[in-house]
Amino acid sequence: MKDSILEFHEYQRLIHSCLRRWKLPEPYEDCQQESYLIYARCVERYDPERSKFSTFFFQTLYRHFQTENRKNRRDREAVHFFSIQQKPLEKDPLKEPLLLFDIQHYSSLTLNEQIIFEQTYIGYTVAEIARLSGKSPSTIKRARKQIKRKVSSGLLVE
């Protein structure tokens, strides 16, 4: 499979196709710059024995924007999660958020585990958490067991 590598500007339609597929808003200036960096990396890593360059470039570009989309979605979920106003259980409101932050930060909880931890801390039952998150109660129980393991190992003093 011999395929010549065209100049970057000749792949503009391919790039726009990928960006439209991800429904990214115009203007595409930032995405174009990212695409150029990906193009340069693809030129270095391209193996003509495996596929056409355009296919290799499109798949690499597609995976890059897929990853970016996932990161952005996780960031939005995290912002939403931490922006939910909850009534503090402590009389001194400064103590509770700092305690929760320390536990979540130092025990390396995933975003899903942080949400379950927060809801458990507030007092939700397993069934309520499962209903709110759209997961099964057994999944919530497994996650709580994992949270307990991580938090207890994070709180051990050496």
Side-chain angles (χ1 to χ4, degrees), residues 40 109 120 137 146 154 156:
L109 299 178
T120 301
Q146 182 73 2
L156 294 176

Side-chain angles (χ1 to χ4, degrees), residues 8 12 15-16 19 28-36:
F8 176 73
Q12 294 303 310
I15 293 167
H16 281 255
L19 297 174
Y28 293 137
E29 282 86 20
D30 290 341
C31 296
Q32 287 282 22
Q33 291 175 3
E34 288 180 50
S35 299
Y36 181 76

Side-chain angles (χ1 to χ4, degrees), residues 68-108:
E68 289 299 312
N69 189 32
R70 286 178 182 155
K71 286 179 185 176
N72 289 338
R73 188 180 71 237
R74 284 187 205 123
D75 290 346
R76 284 191 308 271
E77 289 172 356
V79 167
H80 174 71
F81 171 68
F82 286 113
S83 66
I84 297 172
Q85 297 297 321
Q86 314 252 337
K87 294 180 182 176
L89 301 175
E90 295 285 330
K91 295 201 190 264
D92 182 5
L94 289 176
K95 289 183 180 176
E96 185 174 330
L98 292 176
L99 174 66
L100 286 178
F101 176 78
D102 285 345
I103 290 173
Q104 290 174 343
H105 177 71
Y106 290 112
S107 56
S108 303

Side-chain angles (χ1 to χ4, degrees), residues 54-76:
S54 58
T55 304
F56 176 66
F57 176 54
F58 183 81
Q59 290 298 318
T60 306
L61 192 64
Y62 185 85
R63 283 192 303 273
H64 169 77
F65 287 115
Q66 181 181 41
T67 303
E68 289 299 312
N69 189 32
R70 286 178 182 155
K71 286 179 185 176
N72 289 338
R73 188 180 71 237
R74 284 187 205 123
D75 290 346
R76 284 191 308 271

